[in-house]
């Protein structure tokens, strides 16, 4: 049922819906558009080598759309894993030592998301994207106060096509 409601909401270009976990937070279409068009390098927190996981699929699909997606997973980094052709990093600070991060895409539980939002602020990321089902309004407010663009509780692979966005500018 949740997916049907979400698909209906996206089809009608509304990104909050009845089954959303968002409280007072409302995503803004123009912010979503800017993040998707202006971001070129994405640090994906919670990357998985398990092909059944959403983070694995999203990473691959975003790469196919033209984004550079850098996976973050401490356990996989210790094993020197390569995921979809990219070295896996243990944390955002390690990524920031080598790349300028435009977007931090967070595939972690809502109660853990704030830590990664704070790290995104610390490394100077331009935006944070909390994936479908991930909501932390307080962390979102901290990111806004630090002048980051913020999107929550949706997936770029779902909204980009609905907005006619095929990749970064």
């Amino acid at each position: 049922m949740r997916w049907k409601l979400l698909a209906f909401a996206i089809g009608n270009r509304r990104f909050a819906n009845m089954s959303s976990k968002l409280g007072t937070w409302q995503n803004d279409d123009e912010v979503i558009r800017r993040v998707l068009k202006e971001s070129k390098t994405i640090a994906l927190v919670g990357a998985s080598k398990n092909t059944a996981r959403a983070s694995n699929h999203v990473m691959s699909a975003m790469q196919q759309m033209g984004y550079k997606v850098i996976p973050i997973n401490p356990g996989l980094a210790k094993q020197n894993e390569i995921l979809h052709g990219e070295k896996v990093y243990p944390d955002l600070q390690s990524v920031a030592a080598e790349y300028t991060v435009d977007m931090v895409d967070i595939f972690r539980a809502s109660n853990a998301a704030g830590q990664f939002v704070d790290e995104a602020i610390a490394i100077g990321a331009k935006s944070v994207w909390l994936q479908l089902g991930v909501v932390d309004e307080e962390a979102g407010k901290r990111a806004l106060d630090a002048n980051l663009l913020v999107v929550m509780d949706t997936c770029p692979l779902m909204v980009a096509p609905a907005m006619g966005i095929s990749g970064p500018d």
Side-chain angles (χ1 to χ4, degrees), residues 7-163:
F8 174 79
I10 290 172
N12 286 301
R13 304 189 41 79
R14 289 180 40 241
F15 298 110
N17 62 69
M18 291 177 11
S19 33
S20 174
K21 293 181 179 182
L22 295 176
T24 58
W25 188 272
Q26 291 294 315
N27 288 322
D28 179 283
D29 286 0
E30 189 53 38
V31 169
I32 292 171
R33 183 173 281 102
R34 282 188 58 198
V35 171
L36 290 171
K37 291 179 125 329
E38 295 174 8
S39 297
K40 293 179 178 35
T41 303
I42 300 170
L44 192 145
V45 175
S48 174
K49 68 178 184 177
N50 180 344
T51 57
R53 302 290 300 226
S55 63
N56 184 287
H57 174 70
V58 168
M59 180 178 174
S60 175
M62 296 297 281
Q63 286 176 319
Q64 291 173 15
M65 292 172 69
Y67 297 95
K68 176 153 186 81
V69 185
I70 303 161
I72 299 173
N73 180 311
L76 295 179
K78 285 180 187 175
Q79 300 169 22
N80 296 312
E81 288 283 344
I82 302 294
L83 189 58
H84 298 296
E86 295 288 343
K87 172 184 170 184
V88 180
Y89 288 80
D91 53 47
L92 284 168
Q93 292 80 9
S94 300
V95 173
E98 296 183 37
Y99 298 96
T100 299
V101 175
D102 298 314
M103 178 207 303
V104 175
D105 190 0
I106 302 173
F107 276 91
R108 299 292 301 182
S110 295
N111 63 0
Q115 165 193 343
F116 300 104
V117 170
D118 293 338
E119 289 179 25
I121 293 166
I123 67 164
K126 297 175 184 141
S127 65
V128 291
W129 191 297
L130 283 65
Q131 275 291 336
L132 191 63
V134 183
V135 176
D136 184 334
E137 292 190 34
E138 289 303 315
K141 289 174 187 171
R142 291 192 304 273
L144 287 174
D145 289 344
N147 295 315
L148 276 70
L149 298 174
V150 180
V151 180
M152 281 190 221
D153 195 23
T154 192
C155 177
L157 292 186
M158 298 168 88
V159 298
M163 298 180 102

